[in-house]
Amino acid sequence: MNLTLSNPTAPVPDVADDGVWLACIECGWTGPPFDQIRYRCPDCDGLLEVRYDDHPTFDDFGERGPKRGVWRYADALPVDSGVSIEEGDTPLYEVPTIEDEVGVSALRVKHEGMNPTGSFKDRGMTLGVRVAQKLGVSRLACASTGNTSAALACYGARAGSEVLVLLPAGKVAAGKVAQASLHGARILEVDGNFDDCLDVVSDLADRGEAYLLNSLNPFRLEGQKTIGLEILEGFRDQTGELPDRIVLPVGNAGNTSALFKAFRELVAAGELAPEEVPTLTGVQAEGAAPMVEAIEEGADEVRRWDEVETVATAIRIGYPVNAPKALPAIRETGGTAVAVSDGEITDAQRALARDGVGVEPASAASVAGLRTLRESGEISADERVVCLTTGHLLKDPDAAAAAGVEPEPVPADTDDVLSLLSR
Ligand code: F0G
């Protein structure tokens, strides 16, 4: 494995606040974390990353604060506590049928659909909304394919903040709109796709009209790092070993970036050897696969896809904003990226459901990708693998119903029921 580990242990700059600062991943600019709102580097417009003067070890986790959930990892985060509704601590499921069928040495599913609002976004929001309070902003906003809006609406409500969400009209699953709606967000349905929504909301944020809580916001990704920490701890508890590979769906590539950062920081803490860092493997839908294209072509940048379509509406994204962080994450861990068809996604969603794990289509992309890469031989039979499932089945009831069995109408009569059953 060629792990050069983009350096998380640079000298502590004067701008650090309690050992925490922001750094540009492109030009090395550094700045204080909480003095003003920043989403990108003021010098070169590069992506920002949160940096720390030191990194906790596994033994530190859960020592000072909560024993479970995102805030178990407070020592690895830029603030001590969040606007919390007990996010994180999601199950790491065995999936015996799929494990058997694909043929790997061990397979687990980290089901992020079991978070409070039904997706991993809660891990970023508990932190991001807390930082928003620290910065003293009033209106929180995001563009979303649905889950980010549901989480922001919920955590914003909890914090007593105004929430504005921009959604691509007609392309957001019903459960997600319902959540944003009931938690009281102002919902704008935009005539355009997710990337258009993000352009507009970024513009609003640059004009000071709202605080942006998309994954461009470096604080959100800090919360999402805890997925990686939980996977390592959980997998080791269950099997005595660490996973070789993590397969995950990719939209804006925030999780890919966040998991890599979690592992780099464990390496910096001396807790992981570089060769123990799991291989990060991204999966996109064929109809929205700019990251796969960039990995296959060995490109340094992703090309923006203007036309995107997939049953996995959560990852119906043509221009992953975190690509500059995620391309090194995949390459430096020896990973890859693969595209899967909508049919393969739906098949994987059914397979997960048969093992008792109910997920939305985007989540099933991870298992579909695992199947494809096992068939091609890219993933070998002796590997220990974790698939990340990012959202709950009920997020997209229409997709679930379309993939599942048809209800059969019957009169309210036992004989009619029995005759139907005997047919
Ligand atoms: N899976 C689900 C269920 C998602 O909702 C998303 C992103 C992803 C995967 C992709 O994660 O961006 O870290 O690569 N959803 C965003 C949203 C875009 O608006 O809810 P990523």
Side-chain angles (χ1 to χ4, degrees), residues 91-111:
L92 187 66
Y93 290 130
E94 292 185 32
V95 281
T97 319
I98 302 176
E99 182 184 79
D100 220 37
E101 172 234 322
V102 295
V104 286
S105 129
L107 178 63
R108 295 290 186 278
V109 167
K110 179 69 170 167
H111 192 16

Side-chain angles (χ1 to χ4, degrees), residues 186-356:
R186 182 132 187 220
I187 305 170
L188 305 187
E189 294 196 321
V190 175
D191 178 18
N193 61 28
F194 167 84
D195 307 288
D196 300 319
C197 294
L198 187 58
D199 287 345
V200 174
V201 83
S202 301
D203 215 16
L204 286 173
D206 288 342
R207 294 185 197 192
E209 294 291 338
Y211 183 64
L212 182 72
L213 276 160
N214 281 96
S215 57
L216 185 62
N217 184 315
F219 295 108
R220 253 199 52 196
L221 296 188
E222 291 306 291
Q224 290 172 215
K225 278 191 325 198
T226 62
I227 300 173
L229 303 174
E230 275 183 22
I231 287 176
L232 297 194
E233 289 193 310
F235 201 91
R236 191 152 60 186
D237 282 352
Q238 289 188 20
T239 70
E241 304 190 271
L242 295 173
D244 299 305
R245 184 185 295 268
I246 297 173
V247 185
L248 73 167
V250 173
N252 276 312
N255 279 332
T256 316
S257 311
L259 265 60
F260 186 46
K261 188 165 190 286
F263 301 147
R264 278 157 49 210
E265 290 174 356
L266 286 172
V267 172
E271 283 291 81
L272 268 191
E275 60 277 7
E276 288 178 311
V277 170
T279 298
L280 290 170
T281 301
V283 187
Q284 293 193 299
E286 273 173 6
M291 280 283 290
V292 176
E293 182 181 70
I295 289 288
E296 282 174 355
E297 293 176 356
D300 289 335
E301 286 176 13
V302 293
R303 183 176 66 86
R304 182 170 176 144
W305 288 25
D306 289 327
E307 300 296 325
V308 280
E309 204 51 84
T310 167
V311 66
T313 52
I315 51 172
R316 187 176 168 274
I317 292 172
Y319 195 54
V321 287
N322 288 299
K325 293 178 175 176
L327 290 171
I330 291 173
R331 289 184 176 133
E332 291 184 29
T333 62
T336 189
V338 68
V340 292
S341 70
D342 280 2
E344 290 165 337
I345 288 173
T346 304
D347 277 350
Q349 191 187 17
R350 290 193 193 101
L352 278 158
R354 277 195 300 273
D355 266 336

Side-chain angles (χ1 to χ4, degrees), residues 354-368:
R354 277 195 300 273
D355 266 336
V357 184
V359 306
E360 67 166 291
S363 303
S366 59
V367 168

Side-chain angles (χ1 to χ4, degrees), residues 359-385:
V359 306
E360 67 166 291
S363 303
S366 59
V367 168
L370 168 64
R371 282 173 157 176
T372 304
L373 294 170
R374 265 302 285 139
E375 272 161 32
S376 71
E378 171 84 30
I379 297 181
S380 58
D382 60 4
E383 288 192 40
R384 299 181 294 267
V385 180

